[in-house]
Amino acid sequence: MAWMLVTPAREARAKTYGGLGWFDRLPSTPTGAIAARSATYWWRDPRYRMSLIVIPITPILMIVPLLVVGVPVQILALIPVPIMCLFLGWSTLHNDVAFDNTAIWLHVASGTRGRADRLGRLFPALALGLPVLIIGSVISAAVYGDWSVLGGLLGVGSALLFGGMGFSCVTSARFPYPVVRPGDSPFSHPQSTTATTVVVQGFALTASLLLTLPAIVFAALGFLGSDTWFWASLGAGVFVGLVALWGGVLLGARIFDRRGPELLSASLLN
């Protein structure tokens, strides 16, 4: 008590901020502003952080039981990249508009075009997904011990990543469902129609997997036969994924332009 009486109180050090973060780094356009806001959300919003934490954990939960039962490490090395690409393309974006909550009014009131909204929201997923796809595929091929499988890993991963993003551009604009509100615990469960939530998630996931079938088939033929099939898988995966991504952006943009008031109304009820 005597020491506390004669010791001056320790002043809290004020935190200072310099610059506007991502808004300084990205172009001063509608697309750039939305990309900067999305990147800021991904970094600071606990709801997004929880989704990102799940992405590396899921492959581990799948690999550990298989490792226990004796599946070779070389085979298990092929699992993480496709799983992480699937979750980055599908899980993080298929209901992205709902995470804005009432902030979506900024887009509606300012007349933001749907294409700018769709492209801007893709930025953080692409900025994180492309390094995961490329670096992860290289590491997986090295652990597998055969560099010829690199084409198959890149092909399957590209189809899952880009295809999932394409379908997410559509579902997030057409079928938003209630999510945890900003500031609430990410572990809380919002009131929602369970059937709608399951249908939207299942549709986006199934569509993403169906798009990947050509790349998966070619990769399987590569394991069974000539290594040339791995590069066919790469070509098919990149082509199908990019076409699905661009088509999803265009269709999602049209839906966003047409359903702006409905999206605002849904956010007010969330």
Side-chain angles (χ1 to χ4, degrees), residues 24 57 75 108 113 123 143 158 173 181 228 238-239 242 267:
D24 281 337
I57 291 178
I75 302 298
V108 178
R113 301 293 299 174
F123 169 73
V143 175
S158 298
R181 294 182 178 182
T228 306
V238 172
F239 176 76
L242 290 178
S267 70

PDB file of all heavy atoms in Angstrom, residues 24 57 75 108 113 123 143 158 173 181 228 238-239 242 267:
ATOM      1  N   ASP A  24      -4.558   3.174 -48.999  1.00  0.00           N
ATOM      2  CA  ASP A  24      -3.404   3.860 -49.577  1.00  0.00           C
ATOM      3  C   ASP A  24      -2.722   3.018 -50.652  1.00  0.00           C
ATOM      4  O   ASP A  24      -2.082   3.561 -51.557  1.00  0.00           O
ATOM      5  CB  ASP A  24      -2.377   4.194 -48.490  1.00  0.00           C
ATOM      6  CG  ASP A  24      -2.762   5.422 -47.689  1.00  0.00           C
ATOM      7  OD1 ASP A  24      -3.531   6.253 -48.215  1.00  0.00           O
ATOM      8  OD2 ASP A  24      -2.308   5.557 -46.540  1.00  0.00           O
ATOM      9  N   ILE A  57      -6.668 -25.895 -40.641  1.00  0.00           N
ATOM     10  CA  ILE A  57      -6.954 -26.941 -39.662  1.00  0.00           C
ATOM     11  C   ILE A  57      -7.666 -28.126 -40.312  1.00  0.00           C
ATOM     12  O   ILE A  57      -7.406 -29.286 -39.966  1.00  0.00           O
ATOM     13  CB  ILE A  57      -7.791 -26.369 -38.501  1.00  0.00           C
ATOM     14  CG1 ILE A  57      -6.941 -25.408 -37.672  1.00  0.00           C
ATOM     15  CG2 ILE A  57      -8.334 -27.482 -37.609  1.00  0.00           C
ATOM     16  CD1 ILE A  57      -7.692 -24.760 -36.534  1.00  0.00           C
ATOM     17  N   ILE A  75       1.225 -39.970 -50.259  1.00  0.00           N
ATOM     18  CA  ILE A  75      -0.159 -39.828 -50.720  1.00  0.00           C
ATOM     19  C   ILE A  75      -0.862 -38.707 -49.973  1.00  0.00           C
ATOM     20  O   ILE A  75      -1.597 -37.898 -50.559  1.00  0.00           O
ATOM     21  CB  ILE A  75      -0.927 -41.153 -50.543  1.00  0.00           C
ATOM     22  CG1 ILE A  75      -0.222 -42.279 -51.313  1.00  0.00           C
ATOM     23  CG2 ILE A  75      -2.365 -40.999 -50.993  1.00  0.00           C
ATOM     24  CD1 ILE A  75      -0.151 -42.053 -52.803  1.00  0.00           C
ATOM     25  N   VAL A 108     -25.363   0.604 -52.221  1.00  0.00           N
ATOM     26  CA  VAL A 108     -26.647   0.866 -52.866  1.00  0.00           C
ATOM     27  C   VAL A 108     -26.865   2.368 -53.044  1.00  0.00           C
ATOM     28  O   VAL A 108     -27.260   2.840 -54.119  1.00  0.00           O
ATOM     29  CB  VAL A 108     -27.787   0.240 -52.037  1.00  0.00           C
ATOM     30  CG1 VAL A 108     -29.141   0.545 -52.681  1.00  0.00           C
ATOM     31  CG2 VAL A 108     -27.596  -1.268 -51.915  1.00  0.00           C
ATOM     32  N   ARG A 113     -21.519  -0.023 -59.087  1.00  0.00           N
ATOM     33  CA  ARG A 113     -21.842  -1.046 -60.065  1.00  0.00           C
ATOM     34  C   ARG A 113     -21.550  -2.428 -59.506  1.00  0.00           C
ATOM     35  O   ARG A 113     -20.619  -2.629 -58.727  1.00  0.00           O
ATOM     36  CB  ARG A 113     -21.036  -0.828 -61.343  1.00  0.00           C
ATOM     37  CG  ARG A 113     -21.268   0.519 -62.004  1.00  0.00           C
ATOM     38  CD  ARG A 113     -22.683   0.640 -62.540  1.00  0.00           C
ATOM     39  NE  ARG A 113     -22.956  -0.370 -63.560  1.00  0.00           N
ATOM     40  CZ  ARG A 113     -24.164  -0.562 -64.104  1.00  0.00           C
ATOM     41  NH1 ARG A 113     -25.193   0.156 -63.691  1.00  0.00           N
ATOM     42  NH2 ARG A 113     -24.327  -1.478 -65.036  1.00  0.00           N
ATOM     43  N   PHE A 123     -10.560  -9.668 -54.198  1.00  0.00           N
ATOM     44  CA  PHE A 123      -9.147  -9.344 -54.011  1.00  0.00           C
ATOM     45  C   PHE A 123      -8.482 -10.093 -52.862  1.00  0.00           C
ATOM     46  O   PHE A 123      -7.436 -10.733 -53.052  1.00  0.00           O
ATOM     47  CB  PHE A 123      -8.975  -7.824 -53.823  1.00  0.00           C
ATOM     48  CG  PHE A 123      -7.612  -7.428 -53.368  1.00  0.00           C
ATOM     49  CD1 PHE A 123      -6.532  -7.485 -54.245  1.00  0.00           C
ATOM     50  CD2 PHE A 123      -7.374  -7.028 -52.059  1.00  0.00           C
ATOM     51  CE1 PHE A 123      -5.252  -7.135 -53.819  1.00  0.00           C
ATOM     52  CE2 PHE A 123      -6.121  -6.676 -51.634  1.00  0.00           C
ATOM     53  CZ  PHE A 123      -5.046  -6.733 -52.513  1.00  0.00           C
ATOM     54  N   VAL A 143       7.229 -33.299 -51.530  1.00  0.00           N
ATOM     55  CA  VAL A 143       7.028 -34.363 -50.548  1.00  0.00           C
ATOM     56  C   VAL A 143       6.616 -35.662 -51.240  1.00  0.00           C
ATOM     57  O   VAL A 143       7.048 -36.749 -50.846  1.00  0.00           O
ATOM     58  CB  VAL A 143       5.974 -33.940 -49.508  1.00  0.00           C
ATOM     59  CG1 VAL A 143       5.665 -35.085 -48.552  1.00  0.00           C
ATOM     60  CG2 VAL A 143       6.454 -32.722 -48.720  1.00  0.00           C
ATOM     61  N   SER A 158      -6.615 -24.970 -59.079  1.00  0.00           N
ATOM     62  CA  SER A 158      -7.127 -23.806 -59.814  1.00  0.00           C
ATOM     63  C   SER A 158      -8.624 -23.911 -60.049  1.00  0.00           C
ATOM     64  O   SER A 158      -9.367 -22.931 -59.891  1.00  0.00           O
ATOM     65  CB  SER A 158      -6.398 -23.677 -61.154  1.00  0.00           C
ATOM     66  OG  SER A 158      -5.022 -23.457 -60.975  1.00  0.00           O
ATOM     67  N   ALA A 173     -24.795 -12.710 -53.925  1.00  0.00           N
ATOM     68  CA  ALA A 173     -25.688 -11.640 -54.358  1.00  0.00           C
ATOM     69  C   ALA A 173     -27.136 -12.100 -54.444  1.00  0.00           C
ATOM     70  O   ALA A 173     -28.062 -11.314 -54.213  1.00  0.00           O
ATOM     71  CB  ALA A 173     -25.248 -11.090 -55.713  1.00  0.00           C
ATOM     72  N   ARG A 181     -23.618 -10.963 -36.474  1.00  0.00           N
ATOM     73  CA  ARG A 181     -23.529  -9.521 -36.684  1.00  0.00           C
ATOM     74  C   ARG A 181     -22.152  -8.988 -36.302  1.00  0.00           C
ATOM     75  O   ARG A 181     -21.461  -9.570 -35.465  1.00  0.00           O
ATOM     76  CB  ARG A 181     -24.608  -8.811 -35.858  1.00  0.00           C
ATOM     77  CG  ARG A 181     -26.026  -9.120 -36.303  1.00  0.00           C
ATOM     78  CD  ARG A 181     -27.020  -8.340 -35.479  1.00  0.00           C
ATOM     79  NE  ARG A 181     -28.384  -8.599 -35.919  1.00  0.00           N
ATOM     80  CZ  ARG A 181     -29.454  -8.008 -35.399  1.00  0.00           C
ATOM     81  NH1 ARG A 181     -29.306  -7.135 -34.398  1.00  0.00           N
ATOM     82  NH2 ARG A 181     -30.651  -8.293 -35.856  1.00  0.00           N
ATOM     83  N   THR A 228       1.712 -37.035 -69.155  1.00  0.00           N
ATOM     84  CA  THR A 228       1.142 -35.965 -69.969  1.00  0.00           C
ATOM     85  C   THR A 228      -0.236 -35.553 -69.468  1.00  0.00           C
ATOM     86  O   THR A 228      -0.642 -34.404 -69.606  1.00  0.00           O
ATOM     87  CB  THR A 228       1.045 -36.420 -71.438  1.00  0.00           C
ATOM     88  OG1 THR A 228       2.323 -36.880 -71.880  1.00  0.00           O
ATOM     89  CG2 THR A 228       0.591 -35.279 -72.333  1.00  0.00           C
ATOM     90  N   VAL A 238      -7.272 -24.725 -65.117  1.00  0.00           N
ATOM     91  CA  VAL A 238      -7.132 -23.277 -65.248  1.00  0.00           C
ATOM     92  C   VAL A 238      -8.207 -22.711 -66.176  1.00  0.00           C
ATOM     93  O   VAL A 238      -8.838 -21.687 -65.873  1.00  0.00           O
ATOM     94  CB  VAL A 238      -5.728 -22.925 -65.761  1.00  0.00           C
ATOM     95  CG1 VAL A 238      -5.630 -21.439 -66.091  1.00  0.00           C
ATOM     96  CG2 VAL A 238      -4.668 -23.309 -64.729  1.00  0.00           C
ATOM     97  N   PHE A 239      -8.443 -23.396 -67.295  1.00  0.00           N
ATOM     98  CA  PHE A 239      -9.438 -22.899 -68.259  1.00  0.00           C
ATOM     99  C   PHE A 239     -10.840 -22.893 -67.652  1.00  0.00           C
ATOM    100  O   PHE A 239     -11.532 -21.876 -67.674  1.00  0.00           O
ATOM    101  CB  PHE A 239      -9.413 -23.766 -69.519  1.00  0.00           C
ATOM    102  CG  PHE A 239     -10.473 -23.391 -70.519  1.00  0.00           C
ATOM    103  CD1 PHE A 239     -10.334 -22.267 -71.312  1.00  0.00           C
ATOM    104  CD2 PHE A 239     -11.624 -24.171 -70.649  1.00  0.00           C
ATOM    105  CE1 PHE A 239     -11.321 -21.911 -72.221  1.00  0.00           C
ATOM    106  CE2 PHE A 239     -12.612 -23.823 -71.546  1.00  0.00           C
ATOM    107  CZ  PHE A 239     -12.465 -22.693 -72.331  1.00  0.00           C
ATOM    108  N   LEU A 242     -11.125 -20.280 -64.699  1.00  0.00           N
ATOM    109  CA  LEU A 242     -11.176 -18.879 -65.101  1.00  0.00           C
ATOM    110  C   LEU A 242     -12.484 -18.539 -65.807  1.00  0.00           C
ATOM    111  O   LEU A 242     -13.047 -17.452 -65.614  1.00  0.00           O
ATOM    112  CB  LEU A 242      -9.985 -18.548 -65.995  1.00  0.00           C
ATOM    113  CG  LEU A 242      -8.615 -18.533 -65.297  1.00  0.00           C
ATOM    114  CD1 LEU A 242      -7.517 -18.241 -66.298  1.00  0.00           C
ATOM    115  CD2 LEU A 242      -8.587 -17.506 -64.159  1.00  0.00           C
ATOM    116  N   SER A 267     -30.254  -7.075 -45.237  1.00  0.00           N
ATOM    117  CA  SER A 267     -29.236  -6.719 -44.231  1.00  0.00           C
ATOM    118  C   SER A 267     -29.873  -6.063 -43.010  1.00  0.00           C
ATOM    119  O   SER A 267     -29.410  -6.239 -41.888  1.00  0.00           O
ATOM    120  CB  SER A 267     -28.199  -5.774 -44.853  1.00  0.00           C
ATOM    121  OG  SER A 267     -28.760  -4.497 -45.112  1.00  0.00           O
TER     122      SER A 267
END
